[in-house]
Amino acid sequence: MTAIRKSLVAVGCTTALVTGVAACGAIENISAGKKLENAADKLGERRSLSMELDLDATPEQLIALSKSDSAAEPMTREEAEALAGMKVSVAVQAKKPLAEAKDKDLIATRVKLSGPDGDLVEYRIMGETAYMRVDMRAFGELSGEPIPSADELPADMPGGKVVRKLFDGGWVKLDTAEMDKAREEMGAGAGKKGDGASEVSPETSRKITKSLKKLFAREVTLKDKGRRDGADHVVATGPVRTLLTGVFNELRPFTDEIPGGEDLPTAKDFKDVPNEKIAVDFAIKNGALAEASADLAPLAEGLKKGDKLPLKLTFGEGGKITAPSDATELDIKELMEAAGAMMLGGVDGAGADDAVSGDDFILDDDVRGPEDINGIDGLKIDLDDLDKADARNR
């Protein structure tokens, strides 16, 4: 985990968790806590909500921060400039107040990742249809790995029409039920009890809330900082590593009841996160939570003295989320075939003569089926061994 990721995870989780526990009345005996609780409740009364996470750092600060992680390569100037302007926004729209809404009550959801030059990726879900668009060129520049344009893709590529539109930055759409079915066929749906559930039961939620109340009442200090810039301010302060470790320790007894619970991080995953105290400043306007901000500098190494690394989470009205009118239907099977082709041979536009090409891997046109599999240069497979392995897996 890089220094930047550790910092973002630590402060992001702390902000969200302090807000959530305050909303549950964990600290309602304190006036500052009650004010924060009421402000969070106001958000729950809305039928639409937007949240935007913004890392307001300079490229120089990010480069210095990346150098503090000896296990990772320092950022290039280009990567730092792209990340410095990065924003993540989420919006939801429901038929009833969000505090009461369940999955079936959600009308639409939108998630968007934006860079300094515009949107990088946007994902919307409306009913059982998902919409997506990606700026492949910008992602290529960000990763340092050039990505071909739509015109450079092989003409006979599986799912070529839709994949080319995706590479060209256009909207594509797919059926979420078909996507879930494909995941199940690939084995992604198998796992522990509770993996298939999309919601935690009310009884489990009450138990988790009760446990977290005790943790936050013990570790988090709240202070009312009065009014400035047209907003009331409440500051929550707590030790980051202690809080993160404590939260997941409290969740662990419920792993079988939480979707994806078997992947909860352990104390070992947070051992490199500094246990510095971070102050999260909550701004309240018109009685509702409007913003949460924190300075990540105490968690970072390699910054100049006096440097700050501000992280800001802004809350607002989500508004109406609409479906793109020009989206192209995407076939899941075609997409999987195209992804498989790219993973095997890369996308270099030179695959007209070979089914799949690469430096050390060539699949000739005359290889038609399993009986000819050993016709692949440099690859010899014993089919009897494959059959035995398949039988063991079953």
Side-chain angles (χ1 to χ4, degrees):
M1 187 181 286
T2 65
I4 290 176
R5 187 180 172 196
K6 285 187 287 190
S7 299
L8 286 172
V9 168
V11 178
C13 287
T14 302
T15 301
L17 291 167
V18 171
T19 308
V21 174
C24 294
I27 33 188
E28 59 187 4
N29 58 317
I30 306 173
S31 60
K34 189 62 178 177
K35 183 180 289 188
L36 184 55
E37 175 193 354
N38 292 341
D41 285 345
K42 277 283 187 181
L43 294 184
E45 294 173 5
R46 297 177 180 177
R47 299 192 179 206
S48 69
L49 178 68
S50 68
M51 295 172 285
E52 182 175 272
L53 184 66
D54 180 11
L55 177 63
D56 188 13
T58 66
E60 291 76 17
Q61 288 174 322
L62 292 176
I63 291 172
L65 181 58
S66 70
K67 289 179 179 178
S68 69
D69 190 345
S70 59
E73 287 291 325
M75 278 188 185
T76 64
R77 178 74 190 184
E78 291 76 15
E79 291 170 339
E81 286 178 350
L83 187 59
M86 204 70 74
K87 294 181 180 181
V88 180
S89 61
V90 179
V92 292
Q93 184 182 354
K95 299 174 184 176
K96 57 173 63 176
L98 292 169
E100 305 170 16
K102 298 186 182 300
D103 283 356
K104 62 182 178 63
D105 301 311
L106 292 180
I107 298 172
T109 304
R110 181 179 66 233
V111 181
K112 185 163 59 176
L113 175 66
S114 304
D117 297 322
D119 297 340
L120 291 173
V121 61
E122 183 173 356
Y123 184 72
R124 301 180 192 177
I125 296 181
M126 309 196 64
E128 294 189 355
T129 304
Y131 301 85
M132 182 175 67
R133 62 173 175 169
V134 182
D135 187 334
M136 291 291 193
R137 179 194 58 78
F139 266 115
E141 292 177 356
L142 185 62
S143 65
E145 296 291 336
I147 293 179
S149 67
D151 294 335
E152 294 173 315
L153 297 177
D156 58 350
M157 184 177 188
K161 178 183 177 183
V162 177
V163 173
R164 272 191 288 276
K165 180 151 188 180
L166 189 61
F167 270 66
D168 203 31
W171 282 101
V172 297
K173 63 180 179 180
L174 55 89
D175 188 309
T176 56
E178 288 296 319
M179 182 167 61
D180 290 341
K181 182 179 178 181
R183 288 179 67 250
E184 289 176 6
E185 290 175 351
M186 293 176 66
K192 292 185 178 181
K193 174 188 173 185
D195 279 359
S198 59
E199 298 179 3
V200 178
S201 70
E203 179 61 25
T204 297
S205 295
R206 283 192 291 271
K207 291 178 180 178
I208 292 174
T209 299
K210 184 177 180 180
S211 298
L212 293 180
K213 281 182 179 182
K214 294 179 181 178
L215 171 67
F216 275 75
R218 184 173 67 249
E219 301 292 347
V220 176
T221 301
L222 289 178
K223 289 187 178 179
D224 191 330
K225 292 294 186 177
R227 190 171 180 82
R228 70 174 188 276
D229 301 325
D232 294 317
H233 288 262
V234 173
V235 175
T237 305
V240 173
R241 192 197 320 137
T242 298
L243 282 171
L244 289 175
T245 304
V247 165
F248 289 107
N249 283 344
E250 297 296 342
L251 292 177
R252 197 154 286 109
F254 308 100
T255 52
D256 287 349
E257 301 170 66
I258 300 173
E262 75 279 2
D263 295 323
L264 288 177
T266 64
K268 187 183 295 185
D269 295 310
F270 299 120
K271 64 182 179 62
D272 292 331
V273 176
N275 204 31
E276 299 290 338
K277 288 190 174 183
I278 290 292
V280 182
D281 186 337
F282 296 94
I284 301 168
K285 293 184 178 180
N286 299 319
L289 190 59
E291 184 181 292
S293 59
D295 178 14
L296 290 91
L299 299 180
E301 298 175 9
L303 297 182
K304 294 179 182 178
K305 186 176 181 180
D307 268 357
K308 293 187 176 182
L309 200 56
L311 182 74
K312 182 171 65 176
L313 182 63
T314 306
F315 301 90
E317 291 283 354
K320 186 177 181 180
I321 302 171
T322 59
S325 59
D326 57 346
T328 300
E329 187 79 35
L330 184 150
D331 184 282
I332 292 292
K333 291 182 179 178
E334 284 189 353
L335 177 65
M336 292 172 66
E337 288 175 6
M342 288 192 291
M343 288 174 64
L344 284 172
V347 178
D348 54 15
D353 297 325
D354 303 316
V356 181
S357 63
D359 292 338
D360 301 310
F361 185 84
I362 299 176
L363 178 57
D364 297 319
D365 282 335
D366 59 352
V367 180
R368 303 299 178 192
E371 68 278 3
D372 296 323
I373 194 72
N374 290 322
I376 300 176
D377 292 352
L379 180 65
K380 184 172 178 63
I381 296 176
D382 189 325
L383 295 180
D384 289 337
D385 287 344
L386 283 180
D387 290 339
K388 292 174 184 176
D390 183 54
R392 285 196 302 271
N393 290 333
R394 286 199 295 262

PDB file of all heavy atoms in Angstrom, residues 2 32 59 112 115 125 161 193 235 237 280 316 344:
ATOM      1  N   THR A   2       0.729   2.150  -0.974  1.00  0.00           N
ATOM      2  CA  THR A   2       1.586   3.318  -1.066  1.00  0.00           C
ATOM      3  C   THR A   2       1.243   4.331   0.011  1.00  0.00           C
ATOM      4  O   THR A   2       0.198   4.273   0.646  1.00  0.00           O
ATOM      5  CB  THR A   2       1.421   3.994  -2.440  1.00  0.00           C
ATOM      6  OG1 THR A   2       0.093   4.501  -2.536  1.00  0.00           O
ATOM      7  CG2 THR A   2       1.673   3.004  -3.571  1.00  0.00           C
ATOM      8  N   ALA A  32     -21.729  19.112  21.182  1.00  0.00           N
ATOM      9  CA  ALA A  32     -21.116  19.105  19.853  1.00  0.00           C
ATOM     10  C   ALA A  32     -21.513  17.844  19.099  1.00  0.00           C
ATOM     11  O   ALA A  32     -21.798  17.881  17.895  1.00  0.00           O
ATOM     12  CB  ALA A  32     -19.594  19.186  19.976  1.00  0.00           C
ATOM     13  N   PRO A  59       1.466  19.116  -7.112  1.00  0.00           N
ATOM     14  CA  PRO A  59       2.299  18.013  -7.618  1.00  0.00           C
ATOM     15  C   PRO A  59       3.557  17.823  -6.778  1.00  0.00           C
ATOM     16  O   PRO A  59       3.971  16.687  -6.519  1.00  0.00           O
ATOM     17  CB  PRO A  59       2.634  18.456  -9.042  1.00  0.00           C
ATOM     18  CG  PRO A  59       1.479  19.318  -9.449  1.00  0.00           C
ATOM     19  CD  PRO A  59       1.107  20.064  -8.198  1.00  0.00           C
ATOM     20  N   LYS A 112     -18.282   9.049 -10.367  1.00  0.00           N
ATOM     21  CA  LYS A 112     -17.460   9.704 -11.382  1.00  0.00           C
ATOM     22  C   LYS A 112     -16.071  10.010 -10.837  1.00  0.00           C
ATOM     23  O   LYS A 112     -15.926  10.503  -9.722  1.00  0.00           O
ATOM     24  CB  LYS A 112     -18.150  10.993 -11.853  1.00  0.00           C
ATOM     25  CG  LYS A 112     -17.454  11.692 -12.995  1.00  0.00           C
ATOM     26  CD  LYS A 112     -18.360  12.706 -13.688  1.00  0.00           C
ATOM     27  CE  LYS A 112     -18.871  13.786 -12.757  1.00  0.00           C
ATOM     28  NZ  LYS A 112     -19.656  14.807 -13.473  1.00  0.00           N
ATOM     29  N   GLY A 115     -10.268  14.122 -13.542  1.00  0.00           N
ATOM     30  CA  GLY A 115      -8.906  14.604 -13.472  1.00  0.00           C
ATOM     31  C   GLY A 115      -8.858  16.085 -13.766  1.00  0.00           C
ATOM     32  O   GLY A 115      -9.899  16.722 -13.957  1.00  0.00           O
ATOM     33  N   ILE A 125     -26.020   3.718 -12.723  1.00  0.00           N
ATOM     34  CA  ILE A 125     -26.941   2.588 -12.675  1.00  0.00           C
ATOM     35  C   ILE A 125     -28.349   3.130 -12.551  1.00  0.00           C
ATOM     36  O   ILE A 125     -28.645   3.922 -11.654  1.00  0.00           O
ATOM     37  CB  ILE A 125     -26.643   1.653 -11.481  1.00  0.00           C
ATOM     38  CG1 ILE A 125     -25.260   1.022 -11.631  1.00  0.00           C
ATOM     39  CG2 ILE A 125     -27.698   0.561 -11.392  1.00  0.00           C
ATOM     40  CD1 ILE A 125     -24.908   0.076 -10.514  1.00  0.00           C
ATOM     41  N   LYS A 161     -17.229  -3.485 -32.243  1.00  0.00           N
ATOM     42  CA  LYS A 161     -18.025  -2.263 -32.356  1.00  0.00           C
ATOM     43  C   LYS A 161     -18.186  -1.568 -31.012  1.00  0.00           C
ATOM     44  O   LYS A 161     -17.963  -0.361 -30.882  1.00  0.00           O
ATOM     45  CB  LYS A 161     -19.408  -2.598 -32.928  1.00  0.00           C
ATOM     46  CG  LYS A 161     -20.333  -1.390 -33.038  1.00  0.00           C
ATOM     47  CD  LYS A 161     -21.717  -1.806 -33.544  1.00  0.00           C
ATOM     48  CE  LYS A 161     -22.657  -0.615 -33.578  1.00  0.00           C
ATOM     49  NZ  LYS A 161     -24.032  -0.993 -33.999  1.00  0.00           N
ATOM     50  N   LYS A 193     -21.115 -17.653   3.637  1.00  0.00           N
ATOM     51  CA  LYS A 193     -22.497 -17.253   3.901  1.00  0.00           C
ATOM     52  C   LYS A 193     -22.598 -15.736   3.958  1.00  0.00           C
ATOM     53  O   LYS A 193     -21.781 -15.069   4.568  1.00  0.00           O
ATOM     54  CB  LYS A 193     -22.942 -17.857   5.237  1.00  0.00           C
ATOM     55  CG  LYS A 193     -24.313 -17.399   5.697  1.00  0.00           C
ATOM     56  CD  LYS A 193     -24.575 -17.898   7.110  1.00  0.00           C
ATOM     57  CE  LYS A 193     -25.850 -17.340   7.690  1.00  0.00           C
ATOM     58  NZ  LYS A 193     -26.041 -17.721   9.084  1.00  0.00           N
ATOM     59  N   VAL A 235     -15.382  19.853  15.416  1.00  0.00           N
ATOM     60  CA  VAL A 235     -14.133  19.157  15.092  1.00  0.00           C
ATOM     61  C   VAL A 235     -14.043  17.850  15.880  1.00  0.00           C
ATOM     62  O   VAL A 235     -14.175  17.834  17.099  1.00  0.00           O
ATOM     63  CB  VAL A 235     -12.903  20.046  15.393  1.00  0.00           C
ATOM     64  CG1 VAL A 235     -11.608  19.255  15.165  1.00  0.00           C
ATOM     65  CG2 VAL A 235     -12.927  21.290  14.508  1.00  0.00           C
ATOM     66  N   THR A 237     -11.582  14.631  16.742  1.00  0.00           N
ATOM     67  CA  THR A 237     -10.161  14.278  16.753  1.00  0.00           C
ATOM     68  C   THR A 237      -9.978  12.872  17.308  1.00  0.00           C
ATOM     69  O   THR A 237     -10.565  12.519  18.335  1.00  0.00           O
ATOM     70  CB  THR A 237      -9.359  15.273  17.613  1.00  0.00           C
ATOM     71  OG1 THR A 237      -9.611  16.604  17.141  1.00  0.00           O
ATOM     72  CG2 THR A 237      -7.874  14.992  17.530  1.00  0.00           C
ATOM     73  N   VAL A 280     -10.842  16.145  12.087  1.00  0.00           N
ATOM     74  CA  VAL A 280     -11.774  16.276  10.972  1.00  0.00           C
ATOM     75  C   VAL A 280     -12.752  17.390  11.303  1.00  0.00           C
ATOM     76  O   VAL A 280     -13.472  17.331  12.302  1.00  0.00           O
ATOM     77  CB  VAL A 280     -12.534  14.960  10.723  1.00  0.00           C
ATOM     78  CG1 VAL A 280     -13.470  15.112   9.527  1.00  0.00           C
ATOM     79  CG2 VAL A 280     -11.559  13.807  10.490  1.00  0.00           C
ATOM     80  N   GLY A 316     -23.936  17.600  -0.912  1.00  0.00           N
ATOM     81  CA  GLY A 316     -24.888  18.490  -1.560  1.00  0.00           C
ATOM     82  C   GLY A 316     -26.093  17.717  -2.071  1.00  0.00           C
ATOM     83  O   GLY A 316     -26.235  16.519  -1.847  1.00  0.00           O
ATOM     84  N   LEU A 344      -4.286 -11.910 -23.664  1.00  0.00           N
ATOM     85  CA  LEU A 344      -3.389 -12.906 -24.228  1.00  0.00           C
ATOM     86  C   LEU A 344      -2.345 -12.300 -25.145  1.00  0.00           C
ATOM     87  O   LEU A 344      -1.170 -12.623 -25.069  1.00  0.00           O
ATOM     88  CB  LEU A 344      -4.189 -13.959 -25.000  1.00  0.00           C
ATOM     89  CG  LEU A 344      -4.930 -14.994 -24.158  1.00  0.00           C
ATOM     90  CD1 LEU A 344      -5.822 -15.842 -25.053  1.00  0.00           C
ATOM     91  CD2 LEU A 344      -3.954 -15.875 -23.409  1.00  0.00           C
TER      92      LEU A 344
END
